[in-house]
Amino acid sequence: MSISSDSLRDTAKHALAGTSMPDMSVSSRAITLPLSHARACDPRVAGNKAANLARAAVAGLPTLPGFVITAEACGDIQKLSSLGHLDPDRLSLLQAAWEVLSHDGARAVVVRSSSWEDAEGSSMAGRFVSVLGVRTWAEFVHAVEGVIASGNIIDLGDAPHRVSMAVLVQPELEAARGGIMFGVDPLDGRRDRFLVSVVDGGPDRLVGGREDGVRYRLSTRGRTIEGPGRGDKKLLGFRQRRALANLALDASRTFAGPQDIEWAIDGDGKLWLFQSRSVAASGSEMSGPPLGPGPVAETFPTQPSPLEEDL
């Protein structure tokens, strides 16, 4: 289902005003929080992925509306082994949040992991479950349980352990273009150049390793320093490149440093921020290229080996 940018902007506007989502923020044990809520900016409550999106929303960056199932609530669900065993009142609040965001199932949603440990410098990228195209309440319940379960056992070479998990829920966007942007030149650490990888459709094709993507190296004004090779499709026009460069600059100011950004452009040409993480090392901190946990790890076609993670 294609969602117009006007519809998404209207929903986002109401969400930021606190009127499109049920008010579940009174109790500190609220099962969900809209991304517009201040507590959603806390990684201990919402996980790093959702917390960064909440901070981006507050800063006015182009983020989709949505809500997060808090880490505490996910812990309760994990202990109960099933979302259906949750207290009926809390389950009703969760269903109400899903109904509002999905328009009673008319709009597909995406259910994504948001771990406290999925942060800069970590090797957690790509290890947790994300479920796209969720349309019914039954599918939503199954997706939430699957995302939470993906954090149950993570073997990092020492001993398996439980990862603190929150769950991020947003409307699914039918993207015309999507990709990853590195807010610093990975070859020399220059912050006046950005590396962009783009594919037709959503960025999941690039993140999941199904496509290599077309690469651009851009100036801060969106001009092409290095573009697609001979035979490659030219997927980005100047306005789109300029919008991406502005997003990289805005995200860098918001998070006090260059970002690893997952993004998409909808059918109306509107740019949306899907995820933002700090680049692990750059500039004077570098002893080599600034290879963080984002594009390098996420564009491997399979889960990285221990050697690849170390590199």
Side-chain angles (χ1 to χ4, degrees):
M1 177 179 178
S2 177
I3 308 299
S4 73
S5 60
D6 287 341
S7 174
L8 284 168
R9 277 194 290 270
D10 288 344
T11 306
K13 178 180 178 181
H14 292 309
L16 290 172
T19 58
S20 75
M21 300 291 297
D23 186 4
M24 300 162 212
S25 59
V26 176
S27 171
S28 62
R29 285 179 53 80
I31 187 170
T32 69
L33 290 169
L35 290 179
S36 57
H37 195 279
R39 288 187 65 225
C41 297
D42 186 346
R44 295 167 298 180
V45 173
N48 278 286
K49 186 182 298 179
N52 281 354
L53 282 177
R55 289 179 60 190
V58 170
L61 274 62
T63 58
L64 296 170
F67 64 86
V68 60
I69 306 174
T70 67
E72 182 179 16
C74 288
D76 292 341
I77 294 168
Q78 192 270 338
K79 291 175 185 176
L80 294 169
S81 75
S82 170
L83 200 154
H85 294 147
L86 201 64
D87 175 86
D89 290 338
R90 300 180 82 196
L91 185 60
S92 294
L93 289 174
L94 177 58
Q95 185 167 1
W98 169 78
E99 288 173 349
V100 169
L101 189 66
S102 70
H103 293 184
D104 292 323
R107 171 187 293 176
V109 300
V110 178
V111 181
R112 306 170 72 190
S113 63
S114 182
S115 167
W116 192 0
E117 301 190 33
D118 188 12
E120 55 267 27
S122 81
S123 58
M124 293 293 178
R127 288 188 177 232
F128 304 127
V129 169
S130 292
V131 185
L132 283 66
V134 177
R135 293 189 176 275
T136 68
W137 170 245
E139 289 176 351
F140 179 73
V141 169
H142 182 71
V144 170
E145 291 175 344
V147 170
I148 294 172
S150 71
N152 282 349
I153 301 177
I154 300 294
D155 189 351
L156 298 181
D158 298 324
H161 73 284
R162 163 74 187 165
V163 172
S164 178
M165 183 71 69
V167 175
L168 172 65
V169 185
Q170 293 180 290
E172 183 167 278
L173 179 75
E174 187 169 327
R177 301 282 188 273
I180 293 171
M181 177 167 54
F182 212 44
V184 60
D185 194 309
L187 295 181
D188 55 19
R190 289 180 58 169
R191 299 192 181 195
D192 60 345
R193 296 179 179 180
F194 312 132
L195 183 66
V196 177
S197 294
V198 56
V199 294
D200 282 316
D204 55 292
R205 301 181 184 186
L206 181 62
V207 173
R210 298 197 300 274
E211 296 183 29
D212 292 334
V214 176
R215 295 196 173 189
Y216 291 80
R217 182 169 277 104
L218 304 179
S219 73
T220 56
R221 294 181 177 272
R223 299 190 180 278
T224 302
I225 298 172
E226 181 180 334
R230 181 176 297 178
D232 288 334
K233 293 177 66 176
K234 294 177 174 58
L235 297 179
L236 297 175
F238 175 70
R239 289 185 179 180
Q240 295 169 328
R241 299 195 306 271
R242 183 68 177 267
L244 282 165
N246 288 338
L247 177 59
L249 293 170
D250 290 342
S252 181
R253 284 190 287 267
T254 298
F255 296 102
Q259 296 291 294
D260 159 16
I261 293 171
E262 187 179 327
W263 56 271
I265 296 171
D266 65 21
D268 296 328
K270 170 69 175 178
L271 175 64
W272 297 96
L273 171 67
F274 279 7
Q275 184 173 350
S276 183
R277 287 183 301 209
S278 296
V279 174
S282 61
S284 61
E285 302 172 1
M286 287 172 41
S287 57
L291 305 180
V296 174
E298 291 185 341
T299 52
F300 285 134
T302 57
Q303 180 171 305
S305 69
L307 177 58
E308 289 167 334
E309 290 175 357
D310 288 343
L311 290 173

